[in-house]
């Protein structure tokens, strides 16, 4: 699993870090789901998603992240998000998803929180 | 009051919604909405168009239509789909109330209509004559009428 | 071969051509044209649409139309205007040859058609039935990088 | 003359420097023309246009610059351009306008060329 056109995957010890390189509306959301599903299949259970290069997210992509976060927790892992622009945080807050998925300022703080 | 009219027809494929989103974004920018408002308008339209594609279209060639009216007071966008089996009459007040009542922040789906409600200054959902839905979203150009 | 169809109607006002340009840009990007090709496509369309507004429209409400066809092989865009008095029959081969012959790099105007010719893979200018012009611009897609 | 929504105007000795803050298609081209006409009216004759923040220019805007350059030269002045992205240089080259308007890599080299 080395990533896709829209996502790079790096690792830091047992944590996988996904760099999203595209805005996340419905088209790219299915790509994100695929990448995360593949990591679940590989029994990865600690994942950080880096939103540094993302300007837009919609409810389909937020829902995907919520679903994956729940499943990772069932495996004693977790999904953490970092580097969100304020418009993205607003979308998570409006939906109420920030109560389910943890959002961190930086990649380091997301990693440290595992 | 003079209204400018724009019409945009795209296939029912989320592939094309990327282009629709930047079009709406640039239009809102030239109409001098604030950065934050532009993001809101783009997200509301993304949700409306995604619904039209996922729930309101039989196939890619069904197509969705955006009718955009611009005047000094507002930006109004009507997104129309042609509907598909089993999706009729979903937008009655009772059905919409039920959808809203069932929404949970922790669920994977069902946040689109809620966001549309939060992000528009006004909106309307109506069954249209071809068996689909017309969703109207209104954004006032006057900053004072901005919502939360 | 399956073709996807997009239609975009905007008022005859250069104000809206900004939004048209980013739409064409994002569409070309999602179709995986290279950065350089995207700039070429945007410039060619800017020239065609500016001409449709400046030379091919009586007033703002005349409107210009873009009909966009996408298939695995090409992106084809037809820009139609409704024409205006004194601008009929400008696109005959003789008139076009005259326009080209008169072009000077040092003059302020008259570079649009030349650029359209340089930047498209193929193009066509035709009088349409409503007294205006249909300008067709074709851009071939790099077959190796086609949409999935 | 302090600039417009789309253009800032600075000065360096007797040279006016215009920072264009928008893409230059037909809509903004008329703004550019107005700014340049105003400088001509004010008897300014040395002008540098800085394209650092410009990603697109069309033939209407190029033509405007060509016309103004000629008029400034009649007043023993000149118009010089700097910081053009490669797509912009390409447009000037295709039209042949780079034989009429001088293009420089940097603002400093444009200023030094007067
Ligand atoms: N354009 C539409 N046509 C038909 N049904 C729709 C349309 N838009 C929304 N719906 C219905 O309303 C429900 C809620 O929509 P929404 O809140 O956007 O959440 P989601 O799309 O994630 O289900 C959808 O599941 C669908 O049943
Ligand atoms: N859509 C159009 N309708 C009518 N006339 C047109 C149209 N496009 C171009 N023309 C004619 O062709 C001429 C050359 O166009 P062009 O090369 O784009 O330069 P410019 O627009 O700067 O004059 C125009 O001046 C006009 O007379």
């Amino acid at each position: 699993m080395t990533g896709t056109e829209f996502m790079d995957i790096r690792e830091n010890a047992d944590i996988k870090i996904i760099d999203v390189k595209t805005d996340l509306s419905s088209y790219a959301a299915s790509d994100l789901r695929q990448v995360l599903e593949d990591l679940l299949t590989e029994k990865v259970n600690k994942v950080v998603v880096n939103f540094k290069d993302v300007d837009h997210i919609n409810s389909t992509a937020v829902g995907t992240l919520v679903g994956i976060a729940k499943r990772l927790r069932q495996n004693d892992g977790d999904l953490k998000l970092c580097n969100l622009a304020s418009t993205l945080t607003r979308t998570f807050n409006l939906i109420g998803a920030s109560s389910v998925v943890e959002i961190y300022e930086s990649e380091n703080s997301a990693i440290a929180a595992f | 009051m003079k209204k400018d009219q724009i019409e945009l027809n795209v296939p029912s494929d989320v592939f094309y919604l990327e282009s629709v989103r930047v079009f709406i974004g640039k239009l809102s920018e030239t109409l001098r909405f604030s950065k934050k408002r532009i993001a809101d308008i783009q997200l509301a339209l993304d949700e409306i168009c995604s619904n039209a594609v996922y729930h309101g279209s039989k196939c890619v060639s069904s197509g969705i239509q955006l009718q955009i009216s611009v005047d000094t007071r507002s930006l109004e966008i009507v997104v129309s789909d042609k509907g598909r089996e089993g999706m009729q009459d979903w937008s009655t007040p009772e059905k919409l109330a039920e959808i809203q009542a069932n929404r949970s922040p922790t669920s994977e789906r069902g946040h689109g209509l809620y966001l549309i409600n939060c992000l528009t200054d006004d909106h309307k959902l109506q069954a249209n004559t071809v068996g689909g839905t017309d969703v109207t979203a209104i954004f006032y150009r006057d900053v004072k009428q901005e919502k939360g």
Side-chain angles (χ1 to χ4, degrees), chain A, chain B:
Chain A
M1 184 76 236
T2 56
T4 67
E5 188 193 352
F6 298 136
M7 326 265 155
D8 285 337
I9 303 183
R10 293 177 286 132
E11 50 190 12
N12 183 322
D14 61 339
I15 303 171
K16 294 277 185 183
I17 300 149
I18 303 176
D19 297 308
V20 184
K21 296 177 295 175
T22 181
D23 287 344
L24 285 172
S25 47
S26 306
Y27 182 58
S30 59
D31 207 63
L32 176 66
R33 173 177 295 278
Q34 193 54 55
V35 166
L36 291 166
E37 297 275 1
D38 287 351
L39 291 178
L40 274 163
T41 309
E42 290 173 23
K43 308 270 183 238
V44 170
N45 66 1
K46 294 179 186 168
V47 180
V48 170
V49 183
N50 175 15
F51 282 84
K52 195 172 79 57
D53 296 325
V54 183
D55 291 322
H56 173 85
I57 191 166
N58 75 3
S59 72
T60 306
V62 170
T64 299
L65 293 165
V66 165
I68 298 286
K70 288 191 205 162
R71 284 162 65 191
L72 286 170
R73 279 183 208 150
Q74 284 163 8
N75 302 347
D76 295 319
D78 206 351
L79 177 78
K80 299 181 194 287
L81 316 181
C82 65
N83 293 321
L84 277 76
S86 62
T87 51
L88 269 65
T89 310
R90 175 166 150 80
T91 306
F92 278 90
N93 288 344
L94 278 174
I95 290 176
S98 16
S99 67
V100 192
V101 198
E102 289 171 22
I103 297 177
Y104 294 85
E105 287 253 318
S106 69
E107 187 177 316
N108 283 343
S109 52
I111 289 171
F114 275 106
Chain B
M1 206 180 328
K2 186 183 142 293
K3 261 193 204 277
D4 280 347
Q5 304 282 352
I6 298 171
E7 189 185 314
L8 176 55
N9 297 297
V10 295
S12 297
D13 188 332
V14 292
F15 179 79
Y16 294 107
L17 297 188
E18 302 291 304
S19 305
V20 172
R21 184 161 52 82
V22 301
F23 180 82
I24 297 291
K26 192 66 175 187
L27 179 64
S28 307
E29 186 190 322
T30 52
L31 293 173
R32 302 184 192 189
F33 282 97
S34 70
K35 277 229 161 77
K36 176 170 167 296
R37 275 305 262 165
I38 294 170
D40 287 354
I41 295 170
Q42 285 183 306
L43 179 54
L45 265 293
D46 184 349
E47 298 295 338
I48 296 171
C49 293
S50 293
N51 279 346
V53 168
Y54 285 134
H55 308 299
S57 298
K58 281 199 190 75
C59 58
V60 170
S61 63
S62 301
I64 68 169
Q65 178 182 62
L66 285 84
Q67 287 172 282
I68 305 172
S69 313
V70 175
D71 65 23
T72 50
R73 226 178 55 102
S74 69
L75 167 66
E76 183 181 314
I77 307 180
V78 184
V79 179
S80 305
D81 61 48
K82 301 200 179 71
R84 66 172 210 227
E85 280 93 61
M87 283 298 188
Q88 277 81 23
D89 290 331
W90 70 276
S91 62
T92 61
E94 301 74 41
K95 294 273 175 61
L96 291 176
E98 195 188 309
I99 291 174
Q100 284 311 76
N102 288 338
R103 190 186 89 87
S104 151
T106 64
S107 79
E108 283 193 47
R109 301 203 59 85
H111 307 296
L113 293 176
Y114 174 77
L115 285 178
I116 294 161
N117 189 36
C118 293
L119 300 170
T120 57
D121 288 323
D122 203 352
H123 78 287
K124 215 163 46 193
L125 302 128
Q126 285 173 304
N128 62 28
T129 53
V130 296
T133 309
D134 290 349
V135 181
T136 305
I138 299 177
F139 305 93
Y140 294 115
R141 296 176 70 181
D142 180 356
V143 196
K144 274 169 283 170
Q145 302 185 45
E146 188 177 316
K147 257 194 214 174

